[in-house]
């Protein structure tokens, strides 16, 4: 199967035939998702300047007139737009257009107050605009035989359903240039659940490969007070963290132990992951290859802790994790049940607890992913998968 490498910058621009097609113009994605490469201890990570992506201004008045009600309001912020979803029980979610980033999910708690469950960071970009990272975001790559890869990043609002009493559903859509691949993104807010679901439709006569992840940054007091419950017995692969448009990764991650994790991840980045992305270093000698194979064996294992403490740096892809597991934060006295449908892999990333409490790096990442093994969508077929963040603290 001939296609460009995963997350190539050679994406096809997006077009749409929905009623809102004039609100957001097509553009190629300038910042594709990549694995972080650790070449040396002085490596600096590029800031994913989301604000620099050339989105066209959105007609907020049109959205307000066409889609308001159902518990959703629209607010313009620069060239972007924010769709605010709110239920009568107090649960709220904020969805940004056209990026599709969920930047906030607030929910009532057992003690009567409201708590923000998502972690976001706002900084100033090179052009002076705001750069927002964190939250819940999508980063997928679609590839079919003989075609360059395409990634849905420019979303158009397709519809709004529901009401403020029970649930609100916002549906976004993105298509490739020839309308042969269509991805719908459905965000649903219920009284105690926020779900993110994608539906991929393949209208081509050839197979479609889908790789990527739904990545969620869950805010915590510190990873030192945070535990993952229910992963015992799950097989895992230690892998470098994903660097996506909205990902937050400490600049020194993986470099504290130069002869251990960080060094190995640097070698893996040069070689390419086990799934076949990238190519081997042509200058690597036999001794280096042998050492790398030995180290790779140490990077594969089975989770032996059912109450896993996230105090240490961690970046893993679990291949046999349960469909639901729980993240508990003792510092904030709350928990989140993370569920998935359709995906076979679970991505977990923690920056560790060497940072200040309640700081930029006080979070853990979870992702429902297809990274080690792509999802195959047959000709004229559809595939559906998603993630649920459940608040059990009401």
């Amino acid at each position: 199967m001939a296609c460009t490498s995963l997350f190539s910058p050679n994406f096809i621009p997006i077009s749409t035939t929905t009623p809102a097609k004039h609100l957001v113009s097509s553009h190629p994605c300038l910042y594709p998702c990549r694995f972080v490469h650790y070449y040396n201890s002085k490596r600096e990570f590029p800031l994913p300047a989301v604000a620099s992506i050339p989105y066209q201004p959105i007609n907020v008045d049109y959205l307000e007139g066409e889609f308001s009600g159902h518990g959703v309001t629209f607010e313009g912020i620069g060239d972007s737009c924010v769709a605010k979803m709110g239920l009568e029980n107090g649960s709220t979610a904020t969805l940004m257009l056209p990026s599709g980033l969920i930047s906030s999910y607030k929910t009532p708690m057992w003690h009567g107050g409201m708590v923000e469950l998502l972690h976001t960071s706002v900084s100033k970009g090179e052009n002076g605009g705001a750069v927002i990272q964190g939250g819940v975001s999508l980063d997928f790559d679609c590839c079919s035989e003989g075609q360059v890869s395409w990634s849905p990043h420019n979303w158009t609002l397709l519809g709004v359903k529901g009401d403020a009493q029970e649930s609100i559903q916002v549906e976004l859509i993105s298509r490739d240039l020839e309308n042969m691949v269509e991805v719908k993104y459905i965000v649903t807010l219920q009284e105690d659940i926020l779900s993110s679901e994608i539906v991929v439709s393949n209208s081509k006569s050839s197979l479609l490969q889908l790789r990527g992840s739904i990545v969620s940054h869950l805010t915590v007091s510190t990873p030192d007070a945070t535990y993952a419950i229910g992963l015992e017995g799950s097989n895992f692969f230690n892998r470098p963290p994903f660097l996506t448009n909205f990902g937050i990764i400490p600049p020194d991650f993986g470099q504290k132990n130069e002869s251990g994790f960080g060094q190995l991840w640097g070698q893996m980045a040069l070689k390419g992951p086990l799934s076949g992305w990238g190519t081997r270093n042509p200058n690597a000698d036999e001794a280096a290859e042998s050492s790398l194979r030995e180290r790779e064996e140490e990077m594969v294992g089975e989770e032996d802790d059912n109450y896993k403490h996230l105090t240490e740096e961690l970046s893993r892809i679990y291949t046999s994790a349960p469909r639901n597991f729980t993240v508990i934060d003792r510092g904030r006295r709350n928990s989140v049940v993370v569920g998935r449908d359709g995906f076979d892999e679970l991505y977990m990333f923690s920056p560790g607890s060497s940072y200040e409490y309640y700081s930029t790096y006080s979070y853990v990442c979870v992702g429902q992913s297809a990274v080690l093994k792509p999802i195959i969508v047959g000709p004229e077929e559809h595939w559906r998968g998603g993630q649920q963040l459940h608040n059990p603290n009401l």
Side-chain angles (χ1 to χ4, degrees):
M1 178 172 292
C3 64
T4 58
S5 61
L6 179 65
F7 305 133
S8 163
N10 300 317
F11 294 132
I12 300 176
I14 301 165
S15 66
T16 176
T17 56
T18 62
K21 65 181 179 180
H22 299 297
L23 302 180
V24 182
S25 69
S26 304
H27 74 92
C29 174
L30 300 182
Y31 296 89
C33 169
R34 299 183 184 273
F35 274 109
V36 178
H37 290 186
Y38 301 95
Y39 292 107
N40 55 62
S41 60
K42 295 183 180 180
R43 169 70 172 170
E44 295 182 359
F45 296 95
L47 182 65
V50 175
S52 67
I53 296 178
Y55 295 127
Q56 293 299 313
I58 293 179
N59 189 333
V60 179
D61 291 336
Y62 173 86
L63 293 182
E64 188 70 30
E66 185 74 14
F67 299 104
S68 64
H70 308 281
V72 179
T73 59
F74 298 91
E75 178 181 340
I77 300 180
D79 292 341
S80 300
C81 173
V82 171
K84 296 183 177 180
M85 311 160 65
L87 296 178
E88 291 183 352
N89 80 323
S91 295
T92 63
T94 301
L95 176 64
M96 299 187 67
L97 298 172
S99 66
L101 173 70
I102 302 176
S103 59
S104 174
Y105 173 35
K106 295 181 180 179
T107 181
M109 303 294 288
W110 54 270
H111 48 65
M114 297 288 295
V115 170
E116 174 64 70
L117 297 184
L118 299 182
H119 184 85
T120 57
S121 172
V122 181
S123 59
K124 186 177 181 180
E126 295 181 357
N127 62 353
V131 176
I132 302 177
Q133 297 170 279
V136 179
S137 62
L138 307 184
D139 210 301
F140 288 93
D141 182 82
C142 303
C143 182
S144 58
E145 185 176 2
Q147 301 290 328
V148 297
S149 61
W150 168 77
S151 187
H153 283 282
N154 192 6
W155 299 95
T156 299
L157 182 60
L158 185 62
V160 179
K161 301 177 182 178
D163 55 61
Q165 287 75 39
E166 297 183 359
S167 69
I168 302 169
Q169 185 177 95
V170 176
E171 185 173 355
L172 310 180
I173 192 168
S174 183
R175 297 187 178 101
D176 73 355
L177 184 61
E178 298 179 353
N179 291 326
M180 300 299 286
V181 180
E182 177 185 276
V183 181
K184 291 182 180 179
Y185 181 28
I186 304 167
V187 178
T188 305
L189 176 67
Q190 298 175 308
E191 290 187 348
D192 57 353
I193 295 176
L194 177 68
S195 67
S196 302
E197 183 180 39
I198 66 169
V199 180
V200 181
S201 300
N202 178 21
S203 299
K204 295 178 178 291
S205 58
S206 58
L207 297 175
L208 180 72
Q209 283 193 0
L210 179 71
R211 292 183 188 266
S213 181
I214 301 175
V215 179
S216 300
H217 295 68
L218 303 179
T219 189
V220 298
S221 55
T222 173
D224 187 52
T226 307
Y227 299 79
I229 314 299
L231 297 178
E232 184 178 14
S234 302
N235 297 325
F236 65 79
F237 292 82
N238 286 310
R239 284 292 180 271
F242 306 164
L243 182 59
T244 70
N245 290 343
F246 303 100
I248 304 174
I249 299 176
D252 60 346
F253 185 87
Q255 300 173 3
K256 297 178 182 179
N257 184 357
E258 291 299 325
S259 62
F261 243 16
Q263 182 181 13
L264 173 57
W265 282 354
Q267 290 176 306
M268 291 175 65
L270 289 170
K271 173 188 173 183
L274 291 180
S275 60
W277 302 347
T279 58
R280 288 182 179 273
N281 180 0
N283 298 319
D285 56 24
E286 293 183 1
E289 287 291 314
S290 175
S291 174
L292 182 57
R293 283 193 295 270
E294 292 177 0
R295 289 175 180 268
E296 279 183 349
E297 292 178 359
E298 300 174 1
M299 303 295 282
V300 179
E302 179 180 317
E303 184 60 68
D304 58 3
D305 193 348
N306 199 51
Y307 201 77
K308 185 168 185 61
H309 201 181
L310 300 180
T311 186
E312 301 295 334
E313 291 182 345
L314 175 74
S315 183
R316 289 178 175 176
I317 299 175
Y318 289 89
T319 58
S320 57
R323 291 293 174 182
N324 297 276
F325 76 102
T326 303
V327 176
I328 293 179
D329 177 14
R330 288 182 169 180
R332 301 171 81 234
R333 297 189 299 168
N334 75 289
S335 60
V336 179
V337 179
V338 182
R340 76 180 190 278
D341 295 312
F343 295 96
D344 293 328
E345 301 169 4
L346 168 66
Y347 166 65
M348 179 171 288
F349 168 73
S350 173
S353 59
S354 60
Y355 304 95
E356 183 181 355
Y357 277 47
Y358 301 99
S359 70
T360 301
Y361 304 118
S362 295
Y363 68 90
V364 295
C365 267
V366 295
Q368 317 311 320
S369 65
V371 173
L372 299 178
K373 182 180 179 181
I375 293 168
I376 304 299
V377 185
E380 306 297 330
E381 290 185 355
H382 307 273
W383 178 86
R384 183 184 297 262
Q387 172 189 263
Q388 303 85 41
L389 300 179
H390 171 227
N391 167 36
N393 306 290
L394 292 177

